[in-house]
């Protein structure tokens, strides 16, 4: 038993002793059949705080010969599967957390030397082999394989830390990829390799360093979709157990679509919400908006337009294919948005290749980032959003028009020339309302589609907002009534506000009219 060679099961056992535990042991059912097959290489990338290290520690606890984990796994789901006993603590395991080595060294050369020396020291305590002048880990493992016929499972956590810490150093990145290729590719001593990190494997044109890996990511999670985060069923069960409001949990942390039928939650946020018994942005403690601001402030054509649309609740089409899987090689807005998907700031809908802001937690990170940026009218709109909502509740038409006027997006951010652009403005201006409402755009109701319907989550009045571009504001209110947009909202008729907002193209002024339904 060592630190790197055949570790014990303490790290995973500690997770089981935690206040909140979800059994993801059936992930092992996916890895067991891959041992000593052509498909034995997996690189699993997903955002931070989505349980990557927990899964790595689980695999170590299950496979490692350095411990007896039967008392742990006999009570988990994996114990009911066919290959459970065959592989339980029956393998030599090498566990490497690359962040540990990187944080203790000053450059990639020292990194490789330190990692090599650390693993070699433990190997030589177990195996009697001769070491030559040049110490390459691949040579050492080859000698062990030839002499002892021993093979190894490699579990590598934070594999991509070099690409996050040496963002601009292409030489360091290539040397690191070459080191991993030499260690793992086409080696008879590798039974299974499971790597996990935030970024997929770096692309280097013809430099195919790690092309032997099956890549599983937030963009393409097959076949590990249900293990990429907490599933909706798992979170619903946790909310029942801890007597927490599932709909609020869903509103705050759900929204990362893996398939059309499955979405997942951020592990950390759900666990902290359950422990603290409150819902808030738990990413803020990990430099979320400072890191996010760097990317949304990048000057790529159309990027700010898309961020505004995303904040307004829209989905934005993007091409993820050209992303180079690093944090510096950006050639278009699509590259930036793709990185934000991998970092967890955006969700991805593979069926139509669109991205979106997944939940309230991430929305609050975007808002904080923009408020600290120089986004002019957008920043002002976000800061005024609460006051705008209160003015609407109080039927203060002129004040509502004033706040909408200040939220008017300038043409440098979004071309303001039609009713759709007006809708983006209104969505941004009322962004605070998402704390109290589910906002539905183009809701089918009555004899048509209401522009915006605000469905209350609590005791606030329901609202129907109709927009008009270069028309009289009365036309908006008349249309709500004539087309009976309040159909389907009967239970709110005692407290329902009709809001008409128009924009006069000639005077460039917004006008508001508010009525209660009779």
């Amino acid at each position: 038993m060592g630190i790197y060679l055949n570790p014990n099961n303490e790290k995973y056992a500690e997770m089981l002793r935690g206040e909140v535990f979800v059994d993801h042991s059936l992930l092992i059912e996916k890895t067991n059949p891959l041992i000593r097959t052509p498909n034995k290489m997996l690189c699993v990338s997903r955002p931070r705080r989505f349980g990557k290290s927990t899964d790595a520690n689980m695999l170590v606890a299950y496979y490692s010969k350095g411990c007896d984990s039967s008392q742990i796994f006999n009570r988990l789901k994996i114990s009911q599967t066919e290959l459970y006993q065959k592989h339980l603590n029956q393998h030599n395991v090498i566990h490497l957390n690359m962040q540990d080595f990187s944080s203790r060294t000053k450059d990639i050369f020292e990194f490789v030397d330190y990692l090599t020396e650390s693993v070699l020291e433990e190997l030589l305590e177990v195996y009697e082999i001769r070491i030559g002048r040049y110490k390459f880990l691949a040579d050492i493992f080859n000698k062990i394989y030839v002499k002892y016929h021993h093979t190894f499972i490699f579990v590598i956590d934070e594999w991509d830390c070099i690409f996050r810490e040496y963002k601009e150093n292409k030489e360091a990145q290539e040397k690191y990829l070459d080191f991993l290729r030499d260690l793992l590719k086409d080696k008879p001593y590798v039974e299974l390799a499971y790597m996990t990190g935030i970024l997929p494997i770096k692309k280097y044109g013809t430099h195919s360093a790690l092309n032997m890996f099956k890549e599983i990511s937030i963009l393409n999670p097959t076949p590990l979709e249900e293990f990429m985060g907490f599933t909706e069923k798992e979170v619903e069960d946790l909310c029942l157990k801890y007597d927490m409001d599932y709909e609020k949990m869903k509103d705050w942390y759900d929204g990362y679509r893996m398939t059309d039928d499955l979405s997942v939650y951020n592990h950390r946020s759900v666990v902290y919400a359950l422990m603290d018994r409150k819902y808030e942005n738990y990413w803020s403690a990990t430099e979320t908006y400072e890191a996010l601001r760097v990317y949304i402030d990048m000057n790529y054509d159309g990027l700010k337009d898309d961020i505004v649309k995303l904040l307004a609740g829209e989905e934005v089409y993007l091409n993820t294919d050209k992303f180079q899987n690093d944090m510096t090689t950006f050639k278009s807005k699509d590259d930036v948005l793709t990185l934000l998907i991998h970092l967890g700031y955006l969700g991805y809908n593979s069926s139509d290749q669109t991205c979106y802001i997944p939940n309230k937690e991430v929305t609050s990170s975007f808002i904080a980032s923009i408020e600290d940026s120089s986004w002019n009218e957008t920043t002002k709109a976000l800061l005024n959003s609460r006051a705008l909502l209160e003015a609407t509740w109080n039927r203060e038409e002129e004040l509502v028009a004033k706040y909408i006027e200040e939220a008017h997006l300038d043409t440098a951010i979004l071309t303001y020339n039609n009713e759709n652009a007006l809708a983006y403005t209104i969505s941004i201006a009322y962004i605070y309302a998402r704390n109290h409402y589910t906002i539905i755009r183009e809701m089918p109701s009555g004899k048509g589609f209401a522009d915006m319907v605000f469905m209350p989550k609590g005791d606030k009045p329901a609202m129907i907002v109709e927009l008009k571009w270069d028309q009289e504001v009365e036309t908006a209110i008349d249309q709500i009534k004539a087309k009976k947009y309040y159909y389907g909202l009967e239970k709110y008729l005692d407290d329902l506000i009709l809001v008409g907002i128009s924009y006069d193209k000639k005077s460039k002024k917004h006008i508001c009219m508010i009525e209660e339904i009779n």
Side-chain angles (χ1 to χ4, degrees):
M1 182 180 72
I3 298 172
Y4 311 108
L5 172 64
N6 291 332
N8 62 26
N9 56 27
E10 182 54 31
K11 288 183 178 179
Y12 188 62
E14 187 176 280
M15 291 299 303
L16 272 71
R17 293 193 293 269
E19 186 173 341
V20 180
F21 174 75
V22 174
D23 183 357
H24 273 189
S25 63
L26 288 180
L27 170 65
I28 300 167
E29 188 180 28
K30 301 290 186 179
T31 58
N32 276 343
L34 305 181
I35 295 173
R36 297 185 184 180
T37 72
N39 302 316
K40 62 187 178 183
M41 303 280 188
L42 293 178
C43 181
V44 183
S45 60
R46 58 187 191 264
R48 60 193 175 86
R49 313 306 182 193
F50 272 70
K52 299 183 296 297
S53 295
T54 300
D55 289 349
N57 292 333
M58 178 182 69
L59 294 176
V60 170
Y62 174 76
Y63 287 120
S64 174
K65 283 184 175 181
C67 54
D68 178 1
S69 297
S70 57
Q71 292 301 310
I72 291 176
F73 290 100
N74 282 350
R75 53 196 174 104
L76 300 183
K77 295 175 183 177
I78 186 60
S79 63
Q80 305 302 311
T81 62
E82 180 182 358
L83 299 176
Y84 169 62
Q85 289 292 346
K86 178 179 179 180
H87 294 291
L88 178 64
N89 300 129
Q90 297 300 307
H91 297 268
N92 290 304
V93 170
I94 299 294
H95 184 207
L96 304 173
N97 186 319
M98 295 306 194
Q99 186 66 59
D100 291 344
F101 297 105
S102 179
S103 63
R104 297 168 187 165
T105 54
K106 66 178 184 296
D107 58 43
I108 191 62
F109 300 98
E110 192 174 305
F111 170 95
V112 172
D113 289 344
Y114 176 43
L115 189 157
T116 300
E117 290 288 345
S118 299
V119 176
L120 178 57
E121 181 180 355
E122 292 194 6
L123 289 173
L124 291 179
E125 290 179 1
V126 178
Y127 300 103
E128 294 184 3
I129 53 175
R130 297 186 63 180
I131 304 299
R133 175 183 173 188
Y134 299 103
K135 297 182 180 68
F136 294 101
L137 272 185
D139 285 345
I140 307 302
F141 281 111
N142 271 326
K143 289 178 179 180
I144 292 171
Y145 176 74
V146 169
K147 184 174 181 178
Y148 294 92
H149 305 293
H150 283 190
T151 53
F152 298 83
I153 288 177
F154 289 80
V155 179
I156 300 176
D157 198 10
E158 301 282 1
W159 90 270
D160 60 330
C161 69
I162 295 300
F163 299 94
R164 292 183 271 122
E165 297 190 14
Y166 295 84
K167 294 179 182 179
E168 306 289 346
N169 192 335
K170 303 301 182 185
E171 180 183 1
Q173 294 173 14
E174 289 199 26
K175 180 172 177 58
Y176 176 62
L177 287 178
D178 286 338
F179 168 75
L180 289 177
R181 176 180 60 182
D182 183 51
L183 178 65
L184 300 173
K185 189 172 184 178
D186 300 327
K187 298 300 191 290
Y189 56 77
V190 178
E191 290 186 303
L192 177 74
Y194 181 96
M195 296 201 312
T196 186
I198 295 173
L199 297 173
I201 293 172
K202 167 68 180 172
K203 298 175 183 178
Y204 268 123
T206 58
H207 190 84
S208 55
L210 301 178
N211 60 358
M212 67 283 196
F213 276 90
K214 158 72 174 174
E215 292 205 60
I216 297 168
S217 74
I218 205 77
L219 295 177
N220 183 18
T222 306
L224 302 183
E225 298 94 337
E226 62 187 296
F227 305 110
M228 298 295 277
F230 286 163
T231 66
E232 292 177 299
K233 179 63 168 61
E234 289 168 343
V235 175
E236 189 172 9
D237 290 344
L238 287 171
C239 287
L240 285 172
K241 179 179 179 181
Y242 289 87
D243 192 26
M244 294 284 282
D245 189 322
Y246 172 66
E247 289 304 320
K248 287 185 179 178
M249 191 75 78
K250 184 180 180 68
D251 189 35
W252 267 94
Y253 309 118
D254 188 18
Y256 296 93
R257 298 176 201 157
M258 299 296 104
T259 69
D260 289 342
D261 302 317
L262 175 69
S263 66
V264 298
Y265 292 65
N266 172 348
H267 283 216
R268 173 192 172 94
S269 299
V270 170
V271 170
Y272 274 62
L274 293 171
M275 293 172 61
D276 294 349
R277 303 199 63 78
K278 61 182 179 180
Y279 311 94
E280 60 183 44
N281 184 349
Y282 289 102
W283 276 17
S284 61
T286 52
E287 302 179 348
T288 300
Y289 19 85
E290 290 185 5
L292 177 59
R293 188 175 67 237
V294 170
Y295 298 109
I296 66 176
D297 278 347
M298 286 185 171
N299 189 28
Y300 289 97
D301 186 41
L303 178 59
K304 286 189 175 182
D305 288 15
D306 283 352
I307 297 297
V308 168
K309 292 175 183 177
L310 291 167
L311 277 171
E314 299 292 309
E315 297 195 359
V316 170
Y317 173 80
L318 77 164
N319 180 357
T320 62
D321 294 339
K322 295 183 180 180
F323 180 60
Q324 294 299 300
N325 296 346
D326 64 24
M327 304 181 81
T328 57
T329 310
F330 303 119
K331 296 182 178 179
S332 71
K333 64 173 184 176
D334 286 355
D335 293 336
V336 178
L337 294 175
T338 304
L339 174 62
L340 294 182
I341 293 171
H342 287 297
L343 295 178
Y345 298 121
L346 295 176
Y348 182 66
N349 188 348
S350 59
S351 62
D352 58 11
Q353 295 179 277
T354 58
C355 63
Y356 56 92
I357 297 178
N359 53 48
K360 186 174 178 178
E361 179 180 47
V362 182
T363 298
S364 69
S365 294
F366 271 92
I367 291 172
S369 298
I370 291 173
E371 287 179 350
D372 289 341
S373 298
S374 56
W375 278 44
N376 302 326
E377 287 80 1
T378 308
T379 301
K380 186 179 294 184
L382 296 175
L383 293 172
N384 287 343
S385 184
R386 180 172 185 165
L388 167 64
L389 183 60
E390 291 177 351
T392 308
W393 289 336
N394 295 329
R395 285 65 158 173
E396 298 176 89
E397 297 172 336
E398 292 185 5
L399 191 55
V400 169
K402 173 180 175 291
Y403 285 131
I404 297 295
E405 194 73 42
E406 292 179 359
H408 183 163
L409 306 174
D410 75 23
T411 54
I413 295 179
L414 190 69
T415 303
Y416 201 73
N417 59 5
N418 56 37
E419 193 171 294
N420 204 37
L422 176 59
Y424 293 143
T425 298
I426 304 304
S427 295
I428 297 294
Y430 277 105
I431 202 162
Y432 178 79
R434 298 182 194 179
N435 294 318
H436 302 283
Y437 295 94
T438 299
I439 304 175
I440 304 173
R441 286 275 311 274
E442 297 295 331
M443 176 177 168
S445 184
K447 300 178 182 178
F449 294 83
D451 284 339
M452 302 177 75
V453 174
F454 291 64
M455 306 283 284
K457 299 175 182 177
D459 59 355
K460 303 302 181 184
M463 301 195 301
I464 300 174
V465 178
E466 188 65 23
L467 310 175
K468 289 300 172 187
W469 183 267
D470 210 27
Q471 297 183 50
E472 296 296 325
V473 69
E474 290 83 3
T475 307
I477 297 293
D478 291 344
Q479 182 170 316
I480 295 174
K481 296 175 180 177
K483 294 194 174 183
K484 296 181 171 56
Y485 287 158
Y486 43 82
Y487 276 18
L489 302 176
E490 284 81 3
K491 68 177 182 178
Y492 303 113
L493 290 181
D494 289 338
D495 199 8
L496 175 62
I497 300 174
L498 311 183
V499 182
I501 299 173
S502 69
Y503 178 72
D504 189 303
K505 189 166 61 175
K506 185 176 180 181
S507 66
K508 297 185 177 179
K509 293 293 182 181
H510 295 79
I511 304 169
C512 174
M513 186 174 181
I514 302 176
E515 289 188 6
E516 294 183 34
I517 192 71
N518 294 317

